[in-house]
Amino acid sequence: MLPHSYTFDSLSQTQDLTSAILASNTPTTISATCASIDSFLHSHSPDQSRHFFSITFPTLICKLFGFDDATSPSPPPPPRKLQHPQSNGWIELASQSNHPDFSANIFSLLSPNGTLMNSISAVDRHSLVKYVFPIERLPVWVRFMLSNEKACRVLSDLCRLFKGKVKEDSIKGSLCQIQLNVIEYYMFWFAYYPVCKGNSENLDSNSVKRSKKFRLENWTHSIRGFSGLNKREMEQKFEGNLYIQLLYAYLHAFVPIFDLGAHQPYRSSILNYSLKCDGSVIFRAEFLVNVFVHYWLVDNDFSPLPVNVCKSFGVSFPFRSVLGETPPTSGLGEAVKLFVKYLNLSSVISTDGFGKIEHSESPSWRVSGGFDSGKSRDVVSLCSVGSWNSWIQRPLYRFILRTFLFCPVGSSIKNASQVFSVWVTYMEPWTVSLDDFAELDAIVNGSSKDVRKQELQSEASGYLPLWQGYVLSNYLYYSSLVMHFIGFAHKFLHTDPEVIVDMVISLLTSSKELVDLIKNVDTVFHSKQAVSSKSTLNSTYRVVPSIQEQLQDWEDGLCESDADGSFLHENWNKDLRLFSDGEDGGQQLLQLFIMRAEAELQGISGDNLSHGLKLIDSLKAKVGYLFGGSMVKPIPISPELRQPQHLRDEIFKPRRVGNQTLANITYKGDWMKRPISDDEVAWLAKLLIWLSSWLNESLGLNCPENTDVGSKWSYVDVPGDAASASGPGEAMKTLVCLMGSWLLMMGAMTVRLMRKHGLRVNLRVLASKKVVMVLLLSVVFSVFKKAFGLFHR
């Protein structure tokens, strides 16, 4: 036991450090405080550091990320009331600062091999400190789970990230809470920071008028192949982003991309400590990957876990009605791209092993319980052959698809373009090499070189047959997701035609081997031929059941809705239709896209016109190569007709152009379910659509009238003595029955006529703002009239 005086001295120094952290707001004072923290932890044992992690560490987290709880001189509680990160956070200040030493001091404090992380490792090894993480800062789907007592009990079994971390609240009784050790607590906040920042920026951007244009040069750097960002600009972006540097350092240190015997530069620090498990490197890597997956990719997804896992536990998520069509958090593109690109390095290094795991179930979902020594064998063996890809397949697919489907009409597509870049990077792992991380390695490790990196340095190449297993296991990325993106491109073409066309060009491949593989799988998928061992496509037949299961699971609940105006609303891609010949197939949609894009780009004047025409020629070449031959015929447009507005009306008319509402909307599909326009009250339109659908279903107006069956009238024989009604009461009753029968007959005739002519009830016209305004003014006028009438009396 420590002497009382020594313990008091440690507590006093901890309180002084807390005050110093609170007062540090400039590069000079922050650097001095970082040095003081390092000196304190270096000179104190883990038991003596308990006060630091109990009192000072939450304050340090608040100041690092700019959370606004660290404002009072007293030790703050865990940052619960966070609204959004402030611009005076240390990481944000370091990213904006021109002083490299300032950023280096903070990086040194938080680096995986720094004194702080070594102290965290020692404290957690002895389980000296535990934190309760605020529920409102957890991923959205986890918050809903914790609000239900029954769901709390199975959360740790459903999601391995929370295995052993869900505890009963000792104060509130039945409610659950998430208890974390020090490193888990820090990593949760580290993953939450860009989510909170993205939500804050999204709120700020909503205050900007929709008519404000986001020009091409401001954000085309996020799309591969654009000339707006050269290598030097990429280096400067990494150099000035402390968060990205720390993210890469943690991934490099804690998530191995080689086998378990591979050299890891930070193995001497935090990798050695245990989380009440076997203490393996793989368990630490699994934890970190799961944290980023659930905070960045899953988060507000209403189907956060695979359908078969939920069925096995008898759990259903009623999140669809709560979350609705909520897109993923914006602003995560850069971090997610680095995360995905790094994990795909394991595929690059161990490509030869993909033939063994190409059709296996995702290991992250196969084991329902927590991590233990008996189950670690599966994870170790999978990671040794590059299995990190299978951990992110489903979450990343739904992240990309939800971004495209739920992107609000009239908003900037900057975030969608960043997610598009992530998608293209994931689909082309053969373009990823260790050289892509050279600049980050230089920042993180200085001039040191990794031995394995020197051995594996090579220039990025194109698709090769050895990548067949990767493509087959991720086939929906190359087929179904492409169809959804074509719908997105149609929907947002009018916002910035050049950028959208360039995105489509970047998406379409020119590799003959890859195109042939995708076509062969599509042919087998739609073939009714039975599986035969003699078939030359027998190896391809084996992936069809897996693709069908993935299609049902990965796109669970995701479809173009009734009100978002998606181009594929009437023909949701429930099947693989990229190479279909129908009107909802990829070939027809791409041809229509080319015609629309040509019409849009020909309306551009100046030097951009020639560039736009070159884009169209390149797009035609790519589409022709994909489907074979010259499949696209140019449309002649005379100078007199070169009016973008007129051409949009004839070919495709978006719901909005800036703040302008278009009167004659060419909408393919149910007119009652057309996109909600600016001259309608949105909530009232949705209510009247539902009411109209219910009336049409109840009256049978959705079914056509059967002309083979003639109308049959029912007759009732009336007794002779009933013809003369006795008394006025009986006469009145007879008159009422007669009127009622007449009304029923007229109603039946009206319904029959509506069925015959294909008419349906449509109350949506009442949702017009003009109609609502007239009714509102009538009510107000009536109220005032009655009020003045009473006053005059």
Side-chain angles (χ1 to χ4, degrees), residues 361-659:
E361 188 181 355
S362 174
S364 60
W365 308 116
R366 182 170 58 246
V367 182
S368 60
F371 186 92
D372 57 43
S373 58
K375 296 171 184 174
S376 62
R377 191 181 301 107
D378 294 334
V379 182
V380 171
S381 63
L382 285 166
C383 288
S384 64
V385 294
S387 69
W388 288 124
N389 168 264
S390 57
W391 286 69
I392 61 175
Q393 277 181 320
R394 185 185 193 270
L396 181 62
Y397 184 90
R398 292 183 63 85
F399 173 81
I400 297 171
L401 181 54
R402 288 189 300 126
T403 301
F404 292 151
L405 291 186
F406 302 149
C407 184
V409 174
S411 64
S412 168
I413 59 173
K414 176 181 178 180
N415 180 64
S417 67
Q418 293 176 345
V419 174
F420 175 83
S421 180
V422 174
W423 176 29
V424 174
T425 300
Y426 183 83
M427 289 197 301
E428 298 179 348
W430 45 84
T431 64
V432 180
S433 67
L434 291 171
D435 295 339
D436 296 340
F437 300 92
E439 300 303 324
L440 282 172
D441 279 329
I443 297 172
V444 173
N445 301 327
S447 59
S448 62
K449 297 278 186 175
D450 195 320
V451 178
R452 297 295 294 272
K453 177 180 174 179
Q454 290 180 341
E455 296 175 358
L456 294 169
Q457 278 184 345
S458 61
E459 294 184 0
S461 59
Y463 173 80
L464 296 174
L466 55 87
W467 286 102
Q468 175 176 329
Y470 181 93
V471 174
L472 293 179
S473 62
N474 295 278
Y475 184 76
L476 294 186
Y477 283 88
Y478 302 86
S479 178
S480 181
L481 194 54
V482 174
M483 288 294 296
H484 287 291
F485 177 76
I486 295 174
F488 168 84
H490 274 283
K491 182 179 176 181
F492 284 90
L493 176 62
H494 62 281
T495 59
D496 201 326
E498 290 188 19
V499 173
I500 297 296
V501 171
D502 215 331
M503 291 169 73
V504 176
I505 293 174
S506 303
L507 179 64
L508 301 180
T509 179
S510 299
S511 171
K512 183 179 184 303
E513 293 83 359
L514 181 57
V515 171
D516 291 342
L517 176 62
I518 297 174
K519 285 185 176 180
N520 289 339
V521 175
D522 186 83
T523 301
V524 172
F525 186 88
H526 295 95
S527 175
K528 298 181 180 179
Q529 175 185 353
V531 179
S532 172
S533 59
K534 298 181 180 179
S535 174
T536 57
L537 299 176
N538 182 47
S539 60
T540 311
Y541 270 106
R542 292 187 292 111
V543 306
V544 172
S546 175
I547 294 175
Q548 291 174 337
E549 182 181 354
Q550 289 175 350
L551 188 61
Q552 297 297 322
D553 181 28
W554 294 4
E555 299 193 6
D556 175 45
L558 289 176
C559 63
E560 286 76 3
S561 70
D562 293 342
D564 66 357
S566 296
F567 188 81
L568 298 177
H569 161 57
E570 289 299 312
N571 300 287
W572 170 44
N573 189 28
K574 295 180 180 179
D575 197 1
L576 302 181
R577 298 183 177 272
L578 180 58
F579 298 98
S580 173
D581 296 331
E583 64 175 5
D584 57 346
Q587 181 175 335
Q588 296 293 333
L589 294 182
L590 281 173
Q591 288 190 29
L592 177 59
F593 177 80
I594 290 176
M595 291 190 294
R596 290 191 56 223
E598 190 170 10
E600 292 277 357
L601 292 174
Q602 286 195 9
I604 300 177
S605 60
D607 298 336
N608 290 334
L609 178 59
S610 59
H611 175 67
L613 295 179
K614 290 180 181 179
L615 288 177
I616 292 297
D617 293 338
S618 177
L619 179 58
K620 289 179 180 179
K622 285 290 189 74
V623 174
Y625 184 83
L626 181 63
F627 295 100
S630 179
M631 305 297 296
V632 181
K633 298 180 180 180
I635 55 175
I637 300 180
S638 60
E640 301 85 30
L641 297 178
R642 221 172 259 176
Q643 301 176 6
Q645 181 75 22
H646 174 69
L647 294 173
R648 282 196 201 101
D649 292 344
E650 294 187 354
I651 299 175
F652 177 87
K653 179 164 288 188
R655 186 175 68 173
R656 298 183 183 92
V657 178
N659 289 328

Side-chain angles (χ1 to χ4, degrees), residues 14-25 29 33 36 63 90:
T14 298
Q15 293 174 341
D16 292 340
L17 270 179
T18 303
S19 300
I21 291 173
L22 290 171
S24 299
N25 296 310
T29 55
T33 302
S36 300
K63 295 296 290 185
W90 290 4

